[in-house]
Amino acid sequence: MTDKPRIILDCDPGIDDAFAIVTAARWAEVVAITTVSGNVSLDKTTANALRLRSLIGSNFPVHAGAHEPLEAAPLSAGHVHGECGLGGLDLPHSPEKPDSSDAVEFLVETTRKEEGLHLVPIGPLTNIALALQVDPDLSKRVSSITFMGGSAGGLGNVTAAAEFNIYADPEAAQVVLHSGSPVTMIGLNLTHQVQVGTKETETCHSIDTPVGSAMAYLLDFYADFYRSHLGTDTGSMHDPCAVLAVTHPELFTFEKRYVTVEVKGQHTRGMTLVDERGAGSDSEPNCRVAYSINPEKAVSLIMQAVAEV
Ligand code: RIB
Ligand code: CA
């Protein structure tokens, strides 16, 4: 029995989700992966999770979840991750099927059988919200719900105010944030501190394994996006930051804050409003918000995971 934290990774692979899966496989005990519609449709995020599981030679279960948000129309980030979700990566399709098509039931039942798990959602929060609606006591059984999404300070990427995972399903994010769960938010304010570029692509290329080659390809594809769409030489490595917040919390600083989601605003729907008033706030904190990270160490751990997984 290792002392690695035991996690369920809820994801929408997704290029940075792929790095999060590799990071989790190296630094955590992955109890299972659950998939959700997000970057691309559920059938594609699920197929990608199965392909990535085969690539890294793992055998954790994969359970498919929600094919659409609670209320919003499904969104896509194909322009970032490619139409298939992994930039057209030439990975053999896994002959395996998901272990179930009911990730929500799996989340409820597994957290009943084993208390103390960390749920690490790195896509829209639809599955987590549905599980909390089925069984609100899930909030008391988990060690954390550590999600990549939102932002302190009003940063957005899909709109000026909203980050993709929250914008894709604001109602789900609101359920999770107000569930009484031990929630930690890894927002854009944090993940923008963790940048990858040519150096990391070359590092992955130098790791002469199928995983190294695949991750180098994904970084190359991601570079095309941020160079052409953002005009930058590097891109944020969002999703692995949520995994590292569980496996290496010493790299981060966190503050307890009241966080709520704008679900109605004409210009701000999907914004995570973080109350920075401190003692002046009239709301009890409901979330641990990440504010800083040691970016060099974070990138080094992600690259080490690519080499060693
Ligand atoms: O805003 C970044 C998030 O949206 C990441 O989880 C990325 O995979 C996309 O889902
Ligand atoms: Ca994601």
Side-chain angles (χ1 to χ4, degrees):
M1 187 75 172
T2 66
D3 56 358
K4 292 178 181 175
R6 288 172 59 79
I7 75 168
I8 296 175
L9 190 68
D10 185 72
C11 57
D12 60 337
I15 289 174
D16 56 331
D17 300 72
F19 279 87
I21 290 170
V22 169
T23 303
R26 173 61 183 81
W27 301 114
E29 285 289 329
V30 180
V31 172
I33 278 186
T34 52
T35 57
V36 66
S37 167
N39 286 318
V40 289
S41 57
L42 178 68
D43 59 325
K44 292 176 180 174
T45 60
T46 304
N48 291 338
L50 292 166
R51 294 163 75 196
L52 290 163
R53 179 180 69 177
S54 301
L55 172 71
I56 63 176
S58 292
N59 59 2
F60 43 68
V62 172
H63 294 266
H67 68 280
E68 61 184 4
L70 296 189
E71 294 181 22
L75 208 55
S76 162
H79 63 295
V80 180
H81 303 270
E83 182 269 334
C84 77
L86 290 179
L89 176 63
D90 182 16
L91 261 189
H93 270 278
S94 166
E96 295 159 310
K97 297 278 179 260
D99 295 75
S100 90
S101 57
D102 196 347
V104 172
E105 181 62 18
F106 172 79
L107 288 165
V108 170
E109 286 310 314
T110 304
T111 55
R112 281 177 179 160
K113 289 179 196 142
E114 178 179 350
E115 298 209 358
L117 293 175
H118 292 273
L119 304 188
V120 184
I122 54 175
L125 289 162
T126 318
N127 289 339
I128 311 300
L130 289 169
L132 284 161
Q133 289 175 335
V134 166
D135 182 357
D137 283 345
L138 182 151
S139 63
K140 302 181 180 68
R141 298 195 297 265
V142 295
S143 282
S144 82
I145 298 176
T146 300
F147 75 92
M148 190 280 134
S151 184
L155 278 177
N157 53 12
V158 182
T159 72
E163 176 279 329
F164 177 86
N165 289 336
I166 308 303
Y167 187 75
D169 197 341
E171 284 73 21
Q174 192 71 319
V175 166
V176 173
L177 278 162
H178 296 282
S179 63
S181 302
V183 180
T184 294
M185 181 171 98
I186 310 297
L188 294 179
N189 64 296
L190 190 285
T191 63
H192 282 176
Q193 299 172 45
V194 181
Q195 293 290 310
V196 292
T198 308
K199 178 170 171 254
E200 288 68 36
T201 304
E202 289 167 358
T203 299
C204 288
H205 270 304
S206 70
I207 299 165
D208 191 17
T209 65
V211 174
S213 305
M215 305 320 266
Y217 175 92
L218 292 178
L219 286 181
D220 262 335
F221 187 91
Y222 189 34
D224 288 347
F225 160 72
Y226 55 71
R227 286 184 188 133
S228 57
H229 282 70
L230 305 182
T232 57
D233 291 334
T234 60
S236 301
M237 187 43 76
H238 304 288
D239 289 341
C241 292
V243 174
L244 292 174
V246 174
T247 61
H248 296 80
E250 69 280 5
L251 301 183
F252 296 72
T253 61
F254 303 96
E255 298 293 345
K256 287 194 181 303
R257 291 285 188 271
Y258 177 73
V259 182
T260 195
V261 180
E262 176 55 67
V263 293
K264 296 197 181 340
Q266 179 184 350
H267 303 291
T268 55
R269 175 167 160 83
M271 177 180 180
T272 49
L273 182 64
V274 179
D275 191 337
E276 301 286 5
R277 291 176 291 174
S281 169
D282 47 9
S283 306
E284 272 306 300
N286 60 342
C287 184
R288 200 172 63 136
V289 177
Y291 281 90
S292 73
I293 185 172
N294 176 333
E296 293 78 17
K297 183 65 178 166
V299 172
S300 167
L301 287 167
I302 296 165
M303 293 294 109
Q304 186 179 348
V306 174
E308 297 177 359
V309 74

